[in-house]
Amino acid sequence: MADILLEMKKITKEFPGVKALKDVNLQVKEGEIHALCGENGAGKSTLMKVLSGVYPYGSYTGDILFQGQECQFKDIKQSESLGIVIIHQELALIPELTIGENIFLGNEQSKKGVIDWSQTVIQTKDLLKKVGLEESPDILIKHIGVGKQQLVEIAKALAKEVKLLILDEPTAALNESDSENLLNLLLELKRQGITSIIISHKLNEISKVADSITILRDGQTIETLEPGKDEITEDRIIKGMVGRNLSNRYPQRDSKIGETIFDIINWNVYHPLQQDRKIIDNVSLHIKKGEVVGIAGLMGAGRTELAMSIFGQSYGQKITGKIKKDGKEVEIKNVSQAIKQGVAYVTEDRKTYGLILIDDIKANITLPNLQQISQRSIINEQEEIITAENYRTKLNIKSSSILQKTENLSGGNQQKVVLSKWMLAQPDILMLDEPTRGIDVGAKYEIYSIINELAQDGKGILVISSELPEILGICDRIYVMSEGKITGELNREEATQETIMEYMTNIRGEKHADLEQAYTK
């Protein structure tokens, strides 16, 4: 039997008005990959922050034993000195520094107080080789993709002689290929004797790599499952997470699709800094009343750039093309005009662009719609409270009150606050960019139900998602993008994962071009 590397006993952690953890117990064996599952707000990230010293000893109750020794970490540096390294969902890299500088930041290679850059480069190359990256140590972080940045974070952990690697939603922002590479790396690190704890909502990934699975619900330990001993299925994990069976992950909807409400015609967008680089190439699409339209594509296909450029030209330069609403051409040159024309955009990065984290739920919901709760430019505070409370109830936002800071909400509840503020604006067109990223299956179902309600009300919904099952599960029609172009358009009935992947990689487009060329000969 493997030795116990980590034991957490009766961990309890409270925030103002919220008990985030209640007598949580966790055992992790040496050399295993241990998965931590639970709904948003279940306490997974909080537990790992207690373990790593982000929440210092004294701010919680309970005991932490690492390699048999009791630990009372006052900060993250103390936990790292024992080889416990956490990689947060929001990566802690500095874009303007090189890969090498980031890897050894705070852990500089020096001689007599002077940084040894030669040694830094040599060790960086060695670490990058271990994680499968071929980039030069001198490349700036901002010039590599999110998948590669995640590998740099792991290399940074290896530089600290990691014994226990904690990864919080490591694949949330990655495409399928990058996710696969990261999971394979975790398996390789396991072979090298490194123990890992992985927090993830992607149950197929958990099933692939985990040796043990601990499920948390409402801040409490529900059970720990082990392959071989327990029957482990996605349905079993989901039941543990949400406390009930979730037989259908996508709520049923009777589509009542009307006339075309929104048209994008011959839309072209150039990179904001590189004037000759075209990001969106002659894209045309349309959305009908009551229709949920999906956009699928690999990372870098131009999906987010398309949505942001439509939403008041928030991205790009030299933008050309037409926008029609209800058959009439409209001008949307800025965000204010977009909102006035009934167009809303829910960003994929809710923490940076979607919310003011230091403000409360009430202020975040009403901020873009102050005119609705104001008289003669003076906010009606009573009306603001009633409005925010209505949306808190309607969208089932789990919080102590509407005065709770949004930074203390789980990811799923933060997403509901973002949806609330745009629902209050009563848009005709709602663009949702990765609306369920980093959200558990229970909260996803609630988000899908909200999307269905909006469609039933006659809104036009555009959903961008990297999860093909999600696109197939909720959309009436699907556009596929590759390299800034629309490469395919599919109805729900004809769409499959295989067909979408062919269009995403442009295989089908190339096949069509070859057939056309052969025919013309």
Side-chain angles (χ1 to χ4, degrees), residues 311-324:
F311 186 60
Q313 301 191 7
S314 302
Y315 173 89
Q317 63 171 319
K318 296 195 294 185
I319 298 173
T320 59
K322 295 180 181 178
I323 298 178
K324 287 186 177 181

Side-chain angles (χ1 to χ4, degrees), residues 15 58 103 158 198 225 232 238 328 400 452:
F15 295 105
I103 285 176
L158 294 178
I198 179 172
L225 306 173
I232 299 178
I238 290 168
K328 296 179 182 178
S400 55
N452 286 352

Side-chain angles (χ1 to χ4, degrees), residues 204-480:
N204 61 321
E205 296 180 355
I206 292 296
S207 301
K208 177 180 177 179
V209 302
D211 299 299
S212 302
I213 302 168
T214 294
I215 299 172
L216 299 183
R217 184 170 74 236
D218 297 330
Q220 295 178 296
T221 310
I222 301 301
E223 60 182 342
T224 295
L225 306 173
E226 295 185 22
K229 291 184 181 179
D230 303 292
E231 181 188 358
I232 299 178
T233 63
E234 290 190 15
D235 288 339
R236 168 79 183 269
I237 298 170
I238 290 168
K239 185 177 180 181
M241 287 168 60
V242 302
R244 64 188 188 279
N245 287 315
L246 204 60
S247 56
N248 192 344
R249 298 189 198 179
Y250 303 100
Q252 294 296 314
R253 175 170 62 90
D254 295 325
S255 300
K256 296 178 181 178
I257 298 172
E259 298 296 316
T260 298
I261 189 175
F262 200 63
D263 277 295
I264 303 296
I265 304 164
N266 301 331
W267 198 252
N268 294 281
V269 180
Y270 285 80
H271 192 280
L273 300 177
Q274 302 170 25
Q275 294 189 10
D276 298 328
R277 183 181 167 197
K278 186 182 276 192
I279 301 298
I280 305 300
D281 191 356
N282 206 40
V283 164
S284 295
L285 59 82
H286 67 278
I287 305 170
K288 296 178 179 178
K289 286 185 177 181
E291 185 179 36
V292 180
V293 176
I295 298 185
L298 298 173
M299 194 174 289
R303 298 166 301 162
T304 294
E305 291 82 357
L306 172 64
M308 289 182 67
S309 63
I310 292 169
F311 186 60
Q313 301 191 7
S314 302
Y315 173 89
Q317 63 171 319
K318 296 195 294 185
I319 298 173
T320 59
K322 295 180 181 178
I323 298 178
K324 287 186 177 181
K325 188 162 177 284
D326 296 320
K328 296 179 182 178
E329 189 172 342
V330 294
E331 186 179 83
I332 301 179
K333 301 283 188 182
N334 54 54
V335 171
S336 180
Q337 286 183 347
I339 295 171
K340 285 180 181 177
Q341 291 294 345
V343 179
Y345 170 62
V346 175
T347 173
E348 64 176 333
D349 188 351
R350 59 180 171 264
K351 290 182 184 289
T352 303
Y353 301 114
L355 296 167
I356 300 174
L357 293 174
I358 60 172
D359 219 332
D360 57 36
I361 294 169
K362 170 174 65 69
N364 273 279
I365 289 175
T366 59
L367 186 60
N369 309 287
L370 293 177
Q371 70 281 357
Q372 293 190 34
I373 55 166
S374 301
Q375 292 178 341
R376 298 178 183 177
S377 301
I378 298 174
I379 294 173
N380 184 329
E381 293 185 6
Q382 187 64 29
E383 185 67 25
E384 184 181 29
I385 290 169
I386 292 170
T387 299
E389 194 60 64
N390 283 343
Y391 276 97
R392 175 176 173 251
T393 303
K394 185 176 181 180
L395 273 70
N396 191 27
I397 299 170
K398 295 176 183 175
S399 61
S400 55
S401 75
I402 57 172
L403 300 179
Q404 185 174 338
K405 296 282 191 291
T406 53
E407 65 183 349
N408 293 330
L409 297 176
S410 67
N413 288 301
Q414 287 179 346
Q415 189 72 328
K416 290 178 188 177
V417 174
V418 177
L419 283 170
S420 295
K421 76 175 186 180
W422 288 120
M423 287 171 68
L424 178 59
Q426 299 181 338
D428 300 314
I429 303 297
L430 181 60
M431 297 185 289
L432 303 166
D433 196 348
E434 302 287 2
T436 64
R437 172 171 287 168
I439 291 176
D440 63 82
V441 287
K444 280 183 178 182
Y445 191 92
E446 292 180 328
I447 299 291
Y448 300 147
S449 298
I450 293 166
I451 291 171
N452 286 352
E453 283 182 32
L454 291 168
Q456 287 291 108
D457 291 341
K459 311 295 185 186
I461 313 293
L462 185 70
V463 177
I464 296 170
S465 177
S466 298
E467 296 186 30
L468 294 187
E470 180 171 86
I471 286 282
L472 292 166
I474 66 173
C475 296
D476 300 300
R477 191 162 48 87
I478 301 162
Y479 288 103
V480 188

